[in-house]
Amino acid sequence: EVQLQASGGGLAQAGGSLRLSCAASGIDSDDYVIAWFRQAPGNKREGVSCINKREGIPLYADSVKGRFTISLDNAKNTVSLQMNSLKPEDTAVYYCAEDEPSNYCSLWDTHFSSFGRGTQVTVSS
């Protein structure tokens, strides 16, 4: 069973930075993808970024391009999301998700089979 543990959320001011981490365990396949999603109150869950293990090619939502950077530490099965130039509209609960076996990155939550518990990110104006 895949387990995903997200950490690193907190409070930041607009223009500030936060770094989220997702530690994954129980992954059986050599090919997998991990993504970050977020959900603000009253909103649908939104795909933020995704990366695949084989090529390490990232995918970003337009709303975070140029501000967020996703990275994968293969040895530790940990995915990080560096969030810079934060905006109040980035406020949400952030979740990491995993799918295997797969090399296909997506920002659609229906593509993913496992979701971890979220971590709250709050950006003040």
Side-chain angles (χ1 to χ4, degrees):
E1 179 184 0
V2 175
Q3 294 191 340
L4 303 167
Q5 181 64 51
S7 61
L11 177 64
Q13 290 187 333
S17 299
L18 285 172
R19 186 177 181 88
L20 304 183
S21 292
C22 175
S25 60
I27 296 177
D28 292 327
S29 175
D30 288 335
D31 291 320
Y32 61 86
V33 296
I34 292 184
W36 286 97
F37 289 83
R38 66 186 181 186
Q39 188 167 19
N43 290 359
K44 293 181 179 179
R45 188 157 52 186
E46 171 192 18
V48 175
S49 184
C50 177
I51 191 166
N52 67 355
K53 180 192 175 184
R54 175 172 293 214
E55 297 153 331
I57 296 176
L59 177 67
Y60 297 101
D62 288 344
S63 58
V64 305
K65 276 182 184 176
R67 301 188 298 121
F68 291 10
T69 302
I70 193 170
S71 59
L72 171 62
D73 183 332
N74 284 324
K76 297 180 180 179
N77 280 355
T78 298
V79 172
S80 297
L81 185 69
Q82 178 66 40
M83 307 186 295
N84 298 329
S85 302
L86 284 164
K87 303 176 181 180
E89 50 263 44
D90 294 320
T91 295
V93 177
Y94 283 70
Y95 303 86
C96 53
E98 184 265 359
D99 189 53
E100 59 173 302
S102 177
N103 289 312
Y104 174 70
C105 252
S106 169
L107 297 182
W108 294 101
D109 57 2
T110 53
H111 177 78
F112 293 85
S113 54
S114 300
F115 279 82
R117 290 185 178 182
T119 184
Q120 176 71 45
V121 170
T122 302
V123 184
S124 62
S125 58

CSV table of all heavy atoms in Angstrom, one decimal, residues 33-36 48-61 64-66 68-72 79-81 103-107:
chain,number,residue,atom,x,y,z
A,33,VAL,N,4.6,8.3,-11.1
A,33,VAL,CA,4.5,9.8,-11.1
A,33,VAL,C,3.9,10.3,-9.8
A,33,VAL,O,3.1,9.6,-9.2
A,33,VAL,CB,3.6,10.3,-12.3
A,33,VAL,CG1,4.2,9.9,-13.6
A,33,VAL,CG2,2.1,9.7,-12.2
A,34,ILE,N,4.3,11.4,-9.4
A,34,ILE,CA,3.8,12.1,-8.2
A,34,ILE,C,3.4,13.5,-8.5
A,34,ILE,O,4.2,14.2,-9.3
A,34,ILE,CB,4.9,12.1,-7.1
A,34,ILE,CG1,5.1,10.6,-6.6
A,34,ILE,CG2,4.4,12.9,-5.9
A,34,ILE,CD1,6.0,10.5,-5.4
A,35,ALA,N,2.3,13.9,-8.0
A,35,ALA,CA,1.8,15.2,-8.3
A,35,ALA,C,1.3,15.9,-7.1
A,35,ALA,O,1.1,15.3,-6.0
A,35,ALA,CB,0.6,15.1,-9.3
A,36,TRP,N,1.2,17.2,-7.2
A,36,TRP,CA,0.7,18.0,-6.1
A,36,TRP,C,-0.7,18.6,-6.6
A,36,TRP,O,-0.8,19.1,-7.7
A,36,TRP,CB,1.6,19.2,-5.7
A,36,TRP,CG,2.8,18.8,-5.0
A,36,TRP,CD1,4.0,18.5,-5.4
A,36,TRP,CD2,2.9,18.6,-3.5
A,36,TRP,NE1,4.9,18.2,-4.4
A,36,TRP,CE2,4.2,18.2,-3.2
A,36,TRP,CE3,1.9,18.7,-2.5
A,36,TRP,CZ2,4.6,17.9,-1.9
A,36,TRP,CZ3,2.4,18.4,-1.2
A,36,TRP,CH2,3.7,18.1,-0.9
A,48,VAL,N,-1.7,21.1,-9.5
A,48,VAL,CA,-0.7,22.1,-9.4
A,48,VAL,C,0.6,21.8,-10.2
A,48,VAL,O,1.1,22.6,-11.0
A,48,VAL,CB,-0.3,22.4,-7.9
A,48,VAL,CG1,0.9,23.4,-7.8
A,48,VAL,CG2,-1.5,22.9,-7.1
A,49,SER,N,1.1,20.6,-10.0
A,49,SER,CA,2.3,20.2,-10.6
A,49,SER,C,2.5,18.7,-10.5
A,49,SER,O,2.0,18.0,-9.7
A,49,SER,CB,3.5,20.9,-10.0
A,49,SER,OG,4.7,20.6,-10.7
A,50,CYS,N,3.3,18.1,-11.5
A,50,CYS,CA,3.5,16.7,-11.5
A,50,CYS,C,4.9,16.4,-12.1
A,50,CYS,O,5.5,17.2,-12.8
A,50,CYS,CB,2.5,16.0,-12.5
A,50,CYS,SG,2.6,14.3,-12.7
A,51,ILE,N,5.5,15.3,-11.6
A,51,ILE,CA,6.8,14.9,-12.1
A,51,ILE,C,6.8,13.4,-12.3
A,51,ILE,O,6.2,12.7,-11.4
A,51,ILE,CB,7.9,15.4,-11.2
A,51,ILE,CG1,9.3,15.3,-11.9
A,51,ILE,CG2,7.9,14.8,-9.9
A,51,ILE,CD1,10.4,16.1,-11.2
A,52,ASN,N,7.5,12.9,-13.3
A,52,ASN,CA,7.6,11.4,-13.4
A,52,ASN,C,9.1,11.0,-13.0
A,52,ASN,O,10.0,11.7,-13.3
A,52,ASN,CB,7.2,10.9,-14.8
A,52,ASN,CG,8.1,11.3,-15.9
A,52,ASN,OD1,9.1,12.1,-15.7
A,52,ASN,ND2,7.9,10.8,-17.1
A,53,LYS,N,9.2,9.8,-12.5
A,53,LYS,CA,10.5,9.4,-12.0
A,53,LYS,C,11.5,9.1,-13.2
A,53,LYS,O,12.6,9.5,-13.1
A,53,LYS,CB,10.3,8.1,-11.2
A,53,LYS,CG,11.7,7.6,-10.7
A,53,LYS,CD,11.6,6.2,-10.1
A,53,LYS,CE,13.0,5.7,-9.7
A,53,LYS,NZ,13.0,4.3,-9.2
A,54,ARG,N,11.0,8.5,-14.2
A,54,ARG,CA,11.9,8.1,-15.3
A,54,ARG,C,12.7,9.2,-15.9
A,54,ARG,O,13.9,9.2,-16.1
A,54,ARG,CB,11.1,7.3,-16.4
A,54,ARG,CG,12.0,6.9,-17.5
A,54,ARG,CD,11.3,6.0,-18.5
A,54,ARG,NE,11.0,4.7,-17.9
A,54,ARG,CZ,11.0,3.5,-18.5
A,54,ARG,NH1,11.3,3.5,-19.8
A,54,ARG,NH2,10.7,2.4,-17.9
A,55,GLU,N,11.9,10.3,-16.3
A,55,GLU,CA,12.6,11.4,-17.0
A,55,GLU,C,12.7,12.6,-16.2
A,55,GLU,O,13.5,13.5,-16.5
A,55,GLU,CB,11.8,11.7,-18.3
A,55,GLU,CG,11.7,10.5,-19.2
A,55,GLU,CD,10.5,10.6,-20.1
A,55,GLU,OE1,9.4,11.1,-19.6
A,55,GLU,OE2,10.5,10.1,-21.2
A,56,GLY,N,12.0,12.7,-15.1
A,56,GLY,CA,12.1,13.9,-14.2
A,56,GLY,C,11.5,15.2,-14.9
A,56,GLY,O,11.9,16.3,-14.5
A,57,ILE,N,10.7,15.0,-15.9
A,57,ILE,CA,10.1,16.1,-16.6
A,57,ILE,C,8.9,16.6,-15.8
A,57,ILE,O,8.0,15.9,-15.5
A,57,ILE,CB,9.7,15.7,-18.0
A,57,ILE,CG1,10.9,15.3,-18.8
A,57,ILE,CG2,9.0,16.9,-18.7
A,57,ILE,CD1,10.6,14.7,-20.2
A,58,PRO,N,8.9,17.9,-15.5
A,58,PRO,CA,7.8,18.5,-14.7
A,58,PRO,C,6.7,19.0,-15.6
A,58,PRO,O,6.9,19.3,-16.7
A,58,PRO,CB,8.5,19.7,-14.0
A,58,PRO,CG,9.5,20.1,-15.0
A,58,PRO,CD,10.0,18.9,-15.7
A,59,LEU,N,5.6,19.1,-14.9
A,59,LEU,CA,4.3,19.7,-15.5
A,59,LEU,C,3.8,20.6,-14.5
A,59,LEU,O,3.7,20.3,-13.3
A,59,LEU,CB,3.3,18.5,-15.9
A,59,LEU,CG,2.0,18.9,-16.4
A,59,LEU,CD1,2.2,19.5,-17.8
A,59,LEU,CD2,1.0,17.7,-16.5
A,60,TYR,N,3.3,21.8,-15.0
A,60,TYR,CA,2.8,22.8,-14.1
A,60,TYR,C,1.5,23.4,-14.6
A,60,TYR,O,1.3,23.5,-15.8
A,60,TYR,CB,3.8,24.0,-14.0
A,60,TYR,CG,5.1,23.6,-13.4
A,60,TYR,CD1,6.2,23.5,-14.2
A,60,TYR,CD2,5.3,23.5,-12.0
A,60,TYR,CE1,7.5,23.1,-13.7
A,60,TYR,CE2,6.6,23.2,-11.5
A,60,TYR,CZ,7.6,23.0,-12.3
A,60,TYR,OH,8.9,22.7,-11.8
A,61,ALA,N,0.6,23.7,-13.7
A,61,ALA,CA,-0.5,24.5,-14.0
A,61,ALA,C,-0.1,25.9,-14.4
A,61,ALA,O,0.9,26.4,-13.9
A,61,ALA,CB,-1.5,24.5,-12.8
A,64,VAL,N,0.7,28.5,-11.7
A,64,VAL,CA,1.9,28.5,-10.9
A,64,VAL,C,3.2,28.5,-11.7
A,64,VAL,O,4.3,28.5,-11.1
A,64,VAL,CB,1.9,27.3,-9.9
A,64,VAL,CG1,0.7,27.2,-9.1
A,64,VAL,CG2,2.1,26.0,-10.7
A,65,LYS,N,3.1,28.5,-13.0
A,65,LYS,CA,4.3,28.4,-13.8
A,65,LYS,C,5.2,29.6,-13.5
A,65,LYS,O,4.7,30.8,-13.4
A,65,LYS,CB,4.0,28.5,-15.3
A,65,LYS,CG,3.6,27.1,-15.9
A,65,LYS,CD,3.3,27.2,-17.4
A,65,LYS,CE,2.9,25.8,-17.9
A,65,LYS,NZ,2.5,25.9,-19.3
A,66,GLY,N,6.5,29.4,-13.4
A,66,GLY,CA,7.5,30.5,-13.2
A,66,GLY,C,7.6,30.8,-11.7
A,66,GLY,O,8.5,31.5,-11.3
A,68,PHE,N,6.5,28.2,-9.0
A,68,PHE,CA,6.7,26.9,-8.3
A,68,PHE,C,7.6,26.0,-9.1
A,68,PHE,O,7.7,26.0,-10.3
A,68,PHE,CB,5.3,26.2,-8.2
A,68,PHE,CG,4.3,26.8,-7.2
A,68,PHE,CD1,4.5,28.1,-6.7
A,68,PHE,CD2,3.2,26.1,-6.9
A,68,PHE,CE1,3.6,28.7,-5.9
A,68,PHE,CE2,2.3,26.7,-6.0
A,68,PHE,CZ,2.5,28.0,-5.5
A,69,THR,N,8.4,25.2,-8.3
A,69,THR,CA,9.3,24.2,-8.9
A,69,THR,C,9.2,22.9,-8.2
A,69,THR,O,9.3,22.8,-7.0
A,69,THR,CB,10.8,24.7,-8.8
A,69,THR,OG1,10.9,26.0,-9.4
A,69,THR,CG2,11.7,23.7,-9.5
A,70,ILE,N,8.9,21.9,-9.0
A,70,ILE,CA,8.8,20.5,-8.4
A,70,ILE,C,10.1,19.8,-8.7
A,70,ILE,O,10.8,19.9,-9.7
A,70,ILE,CB,7.6,19.8,-9.1
A,70,ILE,CG1,7.3,18.5,-8.3
A,70,ILE,CG2,7.8,19.5,-10.5
A,70,ILE,CD1,6.0,17.8,-8.7
A,71,SER,N,10.5,18.9,-7.7
A,71,SER,CA,11.7,18.2,-7.9
A,71,SER,C,11.5,16.8,-7.2
A,71,SER,O,10.7,16.7,-6.3
A,71,SER,CB,12.9,18.9,-7.3
A,71,SER,OG,12.7,19.2,-5.9
A,72,LEU,N,12.3,15.8,-7.7
A,72,LEU,CA,12.2,14.5,-7.2
A,72,LEU,C,13.6,14.0,-6.7
A,72,LEU,O,14.5,14.1,-7.5
A,72,LEU,CB,11.7,13.6,-8.3
A,72,LEU,CG,11.7,12.0,-8.0
A,72,LEU,CD1,10.8,11.7,-6.8
A,72,LEU,CD2,11.2,11.3,-9.3
A,79,VAL,N,9.3,14.0,-3.1
A,79,VAL,CA,9.0,15.0,-4.1
A,79,VAL,C,8.9,16.3,-3.3
A,79,VAL,O,8.1,16.4,-2.3
A,79,VAL,CB,7.8,14.7,-4.9
A,79,VAL,CG1,7.4,15.9,-5.8
A,79,VAL,CG2,8.0,13.5,-5.8
A,80,SER,N,9.5,17.3,-3.8
A,80,SER,CA,9.4,18.7,-3.1
A,80,SER,C,8.8,19.6,-4.1
A,80,SER,O,8.8,19.5,-5.3
A,80,SER,CB,10.8,19.2,-2.8
A,80,SER,OG,11.4,18.3,-1.8
A,81,LEU,N,8.1,20.6,-3.5
A,81,LEU,CA,7.5,21.7,-4.3
A,81,LEU,C,8.0,23.0,-3.6
A,81,LEU,O,7.5,23.4,-2.5
A,81,LEU,CB,6.0,21.6,-4.2
A,81,LEU,CG,5.2,22.6,-5.1
A,81,LEU,CD1,5.5,22.3,-6.6
A,81,LEU,CD2,3.7,22.6,-4.8
A,103,ASN,N,4.4,6.6,-16.6
A,103,ASN,CA,5.4,7.6,-16.8
A,103,ASN,C,4.6,8.9,-17.3
A,103,ASN,O,5.2,9.9,-17.7
A,103,ASN,CB,6.3,7.2,-18.0
A,103,ASN,CG,7.3,6.2,-17.5
A,103,ASN,OD1,7.9,6.4,-16.4
A,103,ASN,ND2,7.5,5.1,-18.2
A,104,TYR,N,3.3,8.8,-17.2
A,104,TYR,CA,2.4,9.9,-17.8
A,104,TYR,C,2.0,10.8,-16.7
A,104,TYR,O,1.3,10.4,-15.8
A,104,TYR,CB,1.2,9.2,-18.4
A,104,TYR,CG,0.2,10.2,-18.9
A,104,TYR,CD1,0.5,11.0,-20.0
A,104,TYR,CD2,-1.0,10.4,-18.3
A,104,TYR,CE1,-0.4,12.0,-20.5
A,104,TYR,CE2,-2.0,11.3,-18.7
A,104,TYR,CZ,-1.6,12.1,-19.8
A,104,TYR,OH,-2.6,13.0,-20.3
A,105,CYS,N,2.4,12.1,-16.8
A,105,CYS,CA,2.1,13.1,-15.8
A,105,CYS,C,0.7,13.7,-16.2
A,105,CYS,O,0.4,13.9,-17.4
A,105,CYS,CB,3.1,14.2,-15.7
A,105,CYS,SG,4.1,14.1,-14.2
A,106,SER,N,0.0,14.1,-15.2
A,106,SER,CA,-1.3,14.7,-15.4
A,106,SER,C,-1.7,15.6,-14.3
A,106,SER,O,-1.1,15.4,-13.2
A,106,SER,CB,-2.4,13.6,-15.6
A,106,SER,OG,-3.7,14.1,-15.5
A,107,LEU,N,-2.5,16.5,-14.5
A,107,LEU,CA,-3.0,17.4,-13.5
A,107,LEU,C,-4.5,17.1,-13.2
A,107,LEU,O,-5.2,17.9,-12.5
A,107,LEU,CB,-2.8,18.9,-13.9
A,107,LEU,CG,-1.4,19.3,-14.0
A,107,LEU,CD1,-1.3,20.8,-14.4
A,107,LEU,CD2,-0.5,19.0,-12.8
